[in-house]
Amino acid sequence: MSAITSAATGLSAAKRSRIRLVILAMLFAATAINYADRATIAIAGPAMAKELGLDAVTMGYVFSAFAWSYVLAQLPGGWLLDRYGVKWVYAAAIFLWSAFTLMQGAVGFFSGFTAVAVLFSLRLAVGLAEAPVFPANARITAAWFPANERGMASAFFNSAQYFATVLFAPLMGWIVHTLGWHHVFTVMGALGIAFALLWTQVVHGPREHPGINPAERDYLEAGGAMMDMDGRRAETATRAGRTLRQLLSERMLLGIYVGQYCINTLTYFFLTWFPVYLVKERGLSILQAGFAATLPALCGFLGGILGGVISDQLLRRGYSLTAARKIPIVSGMLLSMAIIGCNYVQADALVVGLMALAFFGKGIGALGWAVVSDTSPKESGGLSGGLFNTFGNLAGITTPIVIGYIVQQTGSFNGALVFVGLNALVAGLCYLVVVGEIRRVDLRP
C-alpha cells in the first residue's frame, strides 16, 4: 500500500505544472533590471562628471537622489499595492522607472546647475517609481510558493541585485566606452519599457493564471500559499499609525533595522562609488571597471544563495531560529570587513579579490528579508517590511554623500573604505548585542 501511495504521489507531482518557476524567473529579471537601472549612474558617473564638470560632493548628492524618494515612498508604495493590485502597480512601476532612466540620457543637452538639477530630479523620479518593488516581490512570492519553498524563492529573487552587475556592468561599461555615457540610460530605459509590456502578459495570480493546472494550484493551497495575490487592504490608517509606534518601540526590531541600514551601506557603495573608485583610485578605464565589477557581484550572488542554504541547514540540524539567522549574518559581516584591506595592497587583482571576498560575506549576511518574515506581526507583515526597507535604504541617502565628502576632503578613497568596513562591524554588533532572541512580535491591543 505504501508503494502504491508513493507512486500515486509521484505521479501527481509529475502532473503538476511549474508556472511558479516562470513567475520566479520574472521576479528575478525584474529585480535585476531594477538594480541595473539604479547602477547606470555609477557606470556613467566618471565620464558624465568629466563632461559636465561635477566634483565629488556634487556627484555624491546626485548618487543619493534615488534613495531620498525611494525611502519616502516605501509606505505609500505599499498602500498602492494594496489598493490597486500587485500586477498592475508593478507593471506601472517598471514602465515609469525605465522611462525616467531613458530620459537621463538627455542630461548632456544641459550644462552647469541646470544639468545637475535635471539629473537630480530624474534620479528622484526613478526612486519614487521603484519603491513598490520589494514589497511586491515578497507578496507575489507568498502567493505563488508554499511555505517550504518560500525561503529559497525569496533568496533567489533577492540575489538578482548581484547578478544585475554580473550581467549588465560589462554591457554598460562597453556602451560608455563605445557609444558614450548618454546611451547607457537610453539602452537600459528601452529594455525596461519592453520588459514592462512582457510582465503584463506573463504575470497573473495563482487563481487566474491561464497556464496553471489544478494539481499545482492544489499543491500551493495545501502548502500554505496566500493564493489571493491582490488581497484587500487589512488596516485603516489609524491602526497603521498605532502599529508603527509599537514596531518602533521593540528593541529587537530596532536592532534589525539599524543592522539593515549598515548592511545596505555596502550595497550602496557598490552601486554608486565602486566603479568611480576603480577608475579614479586604481586607474582602470571605464570598460575595465565594468568588467572588474563582475567578480565581486558574482561572489555576492553566490554568497546570497549560500547564506539561505546555511541558515536552512542549521535549522534542520536543530539549531534555534536565533542561532540559524545570526551565525550567517554575523560571520558574513566580519568577512565583509575585508574591504578595508584594499587600502594596503597595490595590485589591481588583489583589490578586486578583496572586494569579491567582502561582497561574498555581504551576500551570506543578507538574510534581512528572512528575519523580517520571522519577526513581523502576523497582522501587519507589509507594514513591518516597509519600515524595514525604509531604514535599510536610508543608507542610500547617507552613504554616497558621506563618501563624497571623505573623497573631497582627503583626496583618496582610503577613509571611505574604512567607513564602509566599520558599518559591516556595526551590523554584526547589532545582531550580537541589540537584537537578542529572534521571535515574532505580538502587537498589543
Side-chain angles (χ1 to χ4, degrees):
M1 190 69 178
S2 173
I4 294 173
T5 304
S6 298
T9 302
L11 183 61
S12 173
K15 289 181 178 179
R16 283 200 301 265
S17 55
R18 296 287 187 271
I19 298 301
R20 64 190 184 283
L21 301 182
V22 175
I23 299 298
L24 183 59
M26 291 295 289
L27 291 182
F28 184 88
T31 306
I33 293 172
N34 177 288
Y35 268 87
D37 285 349
R38 297 186 197 190
T40 49
I41 191 75
I43 299 296
M48 176 191 292
K50 184 177 180 180
E51 182 174 320
L52 299 179
L54 308 179
D55 61 24
V57 171
T58 303
M59 287 302 294
Y61 278 100
V62 169
F63 283 156
S64 76
F66 164 89
W68 288 90
S69 54
Y70 185 74
V71 167
L72 291 174
Q74 282 299 308
L75 297 180
W79 180 86
L80 285 173
L81 292 168
D82 288 335
R83 178 67 179 83
Y84 296 105
V86 176
K87 173 182 175 175
W88 292 106
V89 171
Y90 207 137
I94 298 170
F95 180 86
L96 287 173
W97 93 55
S98 300
F100 292 134
T101 297
L102 189 150
M103 291 177 193
Q104 289 170 69
V107 170
F109 290 110
F110 304 94
S111 61
F113 176 78
T114 303
V116 174
V118 170
L119 183 58
F120 192 88
S121 299
L122 288 172
R123 294 300 294 176
L124 283 174
V126 172
L128 197 69
E130 288 194 7
V133 170
F134 269 84
N137 282 354
R139 190 161 167 173
I140 293 171
T141 303
W144 270 100
F145 286 87
N148 64 346
E149 295 182 7
R150 204 173 295 154
M152 281 307 300
S154 298
F156 186 71
F157 79 67
N158 191 48
S159 68
Q161 62 181 283
Y162 309 106
F163 188 78
T165 304
V166 175
L167 181 62
F168 290 112
L171 171 64
M172 291 191 288
W174 177 83
I175 291 172
V176 172
H177 179 76
T178 307
L179 304 175
W181 63 265
H182 314 76
H183 293 285
V184 168
F185 299 109
T186 55
V187 170
M188 294 305 301
L191 175 64
I193 290 171
F195 184 79
L197 300 177
L198 177 65
W199 177 276
T200 63
Q201 301 303 307
V202 176
V203 176
H204 309 273
R207 295 197 187 280
E208 60 269 11
H209 198 291
I212 192 172
N213 66 7
E216 184 175 17
R217 192 177 287 116
D218 292 345
Y219 171 71
L220 297 180
E221 196 154 23
M226 299 178 178
M227 300 286 285
D228 296 307
M229 190 172 79
D230 290 330
R232 292 177 294 176
R233 182 161 58 100
E235 297 183 343
T236 64
T238 303
R239 184 178 175 188
R242 289 199 301 268
T243 300
L244 281 173
R245 287 193 293 273
Q246 289 193 44
L247 294 175
L248 289 171
S249 70
E250 286 279 344
R251 171 177 165 168
M252 175 190 67
L253 292 180
L254 286 175
I256 292 167
Y257 296 156
V258 174
Q260 185 64 13
Y261 166 86
C262 294
I263 292 171
N264 270 6
T265 296
L266 281 83
T267 300
Y268 279 101
F269 166 74
F270 194 66
L271 287 175
T272 56
W273 282 106
F274 181 51
V276 182
Y277 165 76
L278 293 176
V279 173
K280 298 289 188 183
E281 191 89 354
R282 294 293 169 174
L284 275 62
S285 69
I286 294 291
L287 184 61
Q288 289 171 328
F291 280 97
T294 59
L295 181 60
L298 181 60
C299 289
F301 172 77
L302 295 174
I305 299 297
L306 184 60
V309 171
I310 291 172
S311 187
D312 287 348
Q313 286 293 329
L314 290 172
L315 279 172
R316 292 191 189 102
R317 293 183 180 185
Y319 285 78
S320 67
L321 178 65
T322 300
R325 297 295 187 235
K326 286 188 177 184
I327 288 172
I329 291 172
V330 174
S331 301
M333 290 302 99
L334 292 175
L335 199 57
S336 291
M337 294 183 69
I339 196 170
I340 299 174
C342 294
N343 289 337
Y344 304 101
V345 297
Q346 297 300 319
D348 293 339
L350 286 176
V351 170
V352 174
L354 287 169
M355 287 288 182
L357 184 62
F359 282 93
F360 179 71
K362 191 264 180 185
I364 290 175
L367 290 174
W369 283 104
V371 175
V372 168
S373 299
D374 298 329
T375 59
S376 295
K378 294 179 181 178
E379 59 270 54
S380 59
L383 199 60
S384 178
L387 192 58
F388 168 83
N389 218 23
T390 299
F391 267 84
N393 284 283
L394 285 171
I397 298 173
T398 58
T399 302
I401 294 174
V402 170
I403 292 177
Y405 276 107
I406 290 172
V407 173
Q408 184 86 336
Q409 294 299 317
T410 66
S412 81
F413 277 84
N414 289 357
L417 297 187
V418 172
F419 167 75
V420 175
L422 289 178
N423 269 273
L425 177 62
V426 173
L429 290 175
C430 279
Y431 274 90
L432 280 176
V433 178
V434 181
V435 171
E437 180 189 2
I438 294 177
R439 53 177 176 76
R440 189 168 302 282
V441 172
D442 293 320
L443 293 178
R444 299 183 297 275

